[in-house]
Short mmCIF file of all heavy atoms in Angstrom, two decimals:
data_model
loop_
_atom_site.label_atom_id
_atom_site.label_comp_id
_atom_site.label_asym_id
_atom_site.label_seq_id
_atom_site.Cartn_x
_atom_site.Cartn_y
_atom_site.Cartn_z
N GLN Z 560 34.13 71.77 13.86
CA GLN Z 560 35.20 72.18 14.75
C GLN Z 560 34.67 72.81 16.03
O GLN Z 560 35.38 72.89 17.05
CB GLN Z 560 36.16 73.12 14.01
CG GLN Z 560 36.92 72.41 12.89
CD GLN Z 560 37.49 73.35 11.84
OE1 GLN Z 560 37.52 74.57 12.03
NE2 GLN Z 560 37.91 72.81 10.70
N LEU Z 561 33.41 73.26 16.04
CA LEU Z 561 32.81 73.78 17.26
C LEU Z 561 32.67 72.71 18.34
O LEU Z 561 32.42 73.04 19.50
CB LEU Z 561 31.43 74.39 16.97
CG LEU Z 561 31.39 75.63 16.07
CD1 LEU Z 561 29.97 76.20 16.04
CD2 LEU Z 561 32.38 76.69 16.53
N SER Z 562 32.84 71.45 17.97
CA SER Z 562 32.83 70.40 18.99
C SER Z 562 33.96 70.60 19.99
O SER Z 562 33.86 70.14 21.14
CB SER Z 562 32.95 69.01 18.34
OG SER Z 562 34.20 68.88 17.66
N LEU Z 563 35.03 71.30 19.59
CA LEU Z 563 36.12 71.61 20.51
C LEU Z 563 35.69 72.62 21.57
O LEU Z 563 36.42 72.84 22.54
CB LEU Z 563 37.33 72.15 19.74
CG LEU Z 563 37.98 71.19 18.73
CD1 LEU Z 563 39.11 71.88 17.97
CD2 LEU Z 563 38.50 69.94 19.43
N CYS Z 564 34.52 73.22 21.38
CA CYS Z 564 33.94 74.13 22.38
C CYS Z 564 32.76 73.50 23.10
O CYS Z 564 31.98 74.19 23.78
CB CYS Z 564 33.48 75.43 21.71
SG CYS Z 564 34.79 76.33 20.86
N GLY Z 565 32.58 72.20 22.93
CA GLY Z 565 31.48 71.51 23.59
C GLY Z 565 30.13 71.75 22.96
O GLY Z 565 29.10 71.64 23.63
N VAL Z 566 30.11 72.08 21.66
CA VAL Z 566 28.86 72.41 20.97
C VAL Z 566 28.62 71.43 19.83
O VAL Z 566 29.52 71.15 19.04
CB VAL Z 566 28.92 73.85 20.41
CG1 VAL Z 566 27.72 74.13 19.51
CG2 VAL Z 566 28.97 74.86 21.55
N ASN Z 567 27.39 70.91 19.75
CA ASN Z 567 26.98 70.07 18.63
C ASN Z 567 25.96 70.86 17.81
O ASN Z 567 24.75 70.72 17.99
CB ASN Z 567 26.38 68.75 19.13
CG ASN Z 567 26.11 67.76 18.01
OD1 ASN Z 567 25.78 68.15 16.90
ND2 ASN Z 567 26.25 66.48 18.30
N ALA Z 568 26.46 71.72 16.91
CA ALA Z 568 25.58 72.59 16.13
C ALA Z 568 24.71 71.83 15.14
O ALA Z 568 23.54 72.19 14.96
CB ALA Z 568 26.42 73.65 15.41
N PRO Z 569 25.21 70.78 14.46
CA PRO Z 569 24.33 70.07 13.53
C PRO Z 569 23.07 69.52 14.20
O PRO Z 569 21.97 69.63 13.65
CB PRO Z 569 25.22 68.94 12.99
CG PRO Z 569 26.60 69.50 13.08
CD PRO Z 569 26.61 70.30 14.34
N TRP Z 570 23.23 68.95 15.38
CA TRP Z 570 22.06 68.37 16.04
C TRP Z 570 21.10 69.46 16.52
O TRP Z 570 19.87 69.32 16.40
CB TRP Z 570 22.47 67.49 17.20
CG TRP Z 570 21.27 66.93 17.93
CD1 TRP Z 570 20.85 67.20 19.18
CD2 TRP Z 570 20.29 66.02 17.38
NE1 TRP Z 570 19.69 66.53 19.47
CE2 TRP Z 570 19.33 65.79 18.38
CE3 TRP Z 570 20.16 65.38 16.15
CZ2 TRP Z 570 18.25 64.95 18.19
CZ3 TRP Z 570 19.06 64.55 15.96
CH2 TRP Z 570 18.13 64.33 16.96
N ALA Z 571 21.62 70.58 17.02
CA ALA Z 571 20.75 71.67 17.44
C ALA Z 571 19.94 72.19 16.26
O ALA Z 571 18.76 72.53 16.41
CB ALA Z 571 21.58 72.79 18.06
N ALA Z 572 20.55 72.22 15.08
CA ALA Z 572 19.83 72.67 13.89
C ALA Z 572 18.73 71.68 13.50
O ALA Z 572 17.62 72.09 13.12
CB ALA Z 572 20.80 72.86 12.73
N VAL Z 573 19.02 70.39 13.57
CA VAL Z 573 18.01 69.38 13.28
C VAL Z 573 16.85 69.49 14.27
O VAL Z 573 15.68 69.39 13.89
CB VAL Z 573 18.63 67.97 13.29
CG1 VAL Z 573 17.54 66.90 13.30
CG2 VAL Z 573 19.53 67.79 12.06
N GLN Z 574 17.17 69.73 15.54
CA GLN Z 574 16.10 69.93 16.52
C GLN Z 574 15.19 71.09 16.13
O GLN Z 574 13.96 70.99 16.19
CB GLN Z 574 16.70 70.19 17.90
CG GLN Z 574 17.26 68.97 18.60
CD GLN Z 574 17.77 69.31 19.98
OE1 GLN Z 574 18.74 70.05 20.14
NE2 GLN Z 574 17.10 68.79 20.99
N LEU Z 575 15.80 72.21 15.72
CA LEU Z 575 15.00 73.36 15.28
C LEU Z 575 14.11 73.00 14.11
O LEU Z 575 12.93 73.37 14.05
CB LEU Z 575 15.92 74.51 14.89
CG LEU Z 575 16.22 75.59 15.93
CD1 LEU Z 575 17.13 76.65 15.34
CD2 LEU Z 575 14.95 76.23 16.47
N ALA Z 576 14.67 72.28 13.14
CA ALA Z 576 13.90 71.89 11.96
C ALA Z 576 12.74 70.98 12.32
O ALA Z 576 11.69 70.99 11.66
CB ALA Z 576 14.81 71.21 10.94
N LEU Z 577 12.90 70.18 13.38
CA LEU Z 577 11.84 69.27 13.83
C LEU Z 577 10.83 69.96 14.75
O LEU Z 577 9.89 69.33 15.23
CB LEU Z 577 12.45 68.08 14.57
CG LEU Z 577 13.31 67.12 13.74
CD1 LEU Z 577 14.00 66.11 14.63
CD2 LEU Z 577 12.46 66.43 12.69
#
Side-chain angles (χ1 to χ4, degrees):
Q560 293 160 13
L561 295 188
S562 63
L563 298 176
C564 301
V566 171
N567 188 327
W570 178 247
V573 167
Q574 284 183 294
L575 264 181
L577 294 172

